[in-house]
Amino acid sequence: MIRYKVYQSKNKVSSSYGLWYARAVYDETVGLEKLAEHMANHNTPYSQGCIFGVLRDMVNCIKELVLDGKAVKLDNLAIFSASISTSGAASAKEFSITNCLRNVHLNARATGKLRTATLTSEATKKEVAEYTVNKTGKSAGDDTME
């Protein structure tokens, strides 16, 4: 179930000012250990510990392969790859990756059963509460997807 809160755009310089939107929220983050426990409860002969070990190693291997310039596809989940952001240089001759590299990012593009169209058509939705913003700019009482 996709939980959401409705909020009003307060950005006065945007054409969206005053319009109402929905923002997805979640109530829990499930880590690898909990995911392994969940998977072990789905009629598998493998223990939670075995599954956890495989998932932990998978994460490390995906990182290694992505940093080696490869894309890693997990069918019906995502294609993981790296991208970079750089600052500009006045000319190609002046460009140096050492001086211009700002960040390396991990991209995850949904594939198969987790593509956007599939999720949109299969998702059930539920409004959880009125959306309010506290002084820090984060929503009060929940974690929002960023």
Side-chain angles (χ1 to χ4, degrees):
M1 177 170 314
I2 303 296
R3 291 164 180 82
Y4 67 92
K5 291 187 176 185
V6 176
Y7 71 98
Q8 186 177 30
S9 172
K10 302 292 185 181
N11 185 350
K12 292 183 180 181
V13 297
S14 172
S15 61
S16 68
Y17 178 72
L19 298 178
W20 290 85
Y21 297 89
R23 178 170 287 137
V25 297
Y26 53 91
D27 57 6
E28 181 181 7
T29 299
V30 176
L32 282 181
E33 195 166 339
K34 274 269 223 202
L35 176 59
E37 178 183 346
H38 180 84
M39 291 172 68
N41 291 325
H42 280 269
N43 299 319
T44 178
Y46 303 106
S47 70
Q48 175 186 347
C50 179
I51 295 170
F52 176 69
V54 169
L55 291 173
R56 186 184 58 228
D57 290 350
M58 180 190 70
V59 170
N60 290 333
C61 289
I62 290 172
K63 177 184 174 188
E64 181 182 335
L65 291 166
V66 164
L67 290 175
D68 193 34
K70 295 175 176 40
V72 179
K73 180 178 181 178
L74 300 181
D75 291 336
N76 295 308
L77 178 63
I79 301 169
F80 299 94
S81 62
S83 65
I84 59 175
S85 59
T86 62
S87 55
S91 68
K93 185 175 176 115
E94 294 179 58
F95 182 86
S96 160
I97 196 67
T98 304
N99 295 331
C100 296
L101 179 67
R102 291 194 322 231
N103 292 299
V104 176
H105 305 276
L106 176 66
N107 300 322
R109 296 184 317 263
T111 183
K113 293 178 182 177
L114 289 181
R115 288 189 346 239
T116 301
T118 305
L119 291 176
T120 302
S121 69
E122 294 180 9
T124 57
K125 299 93 176 162
K126 178 183 179 182
E127 186 173 2
V128 291
E130 183 177 328
Y131 187 80
T132 58
V133 177
N134 63 25
K135 292 179 183 176
T136 65
K138 290 197 101 180
S139 61
D142 75 310
D143 293 322
T144 59
M145 290 194 270
E146 297 179 24

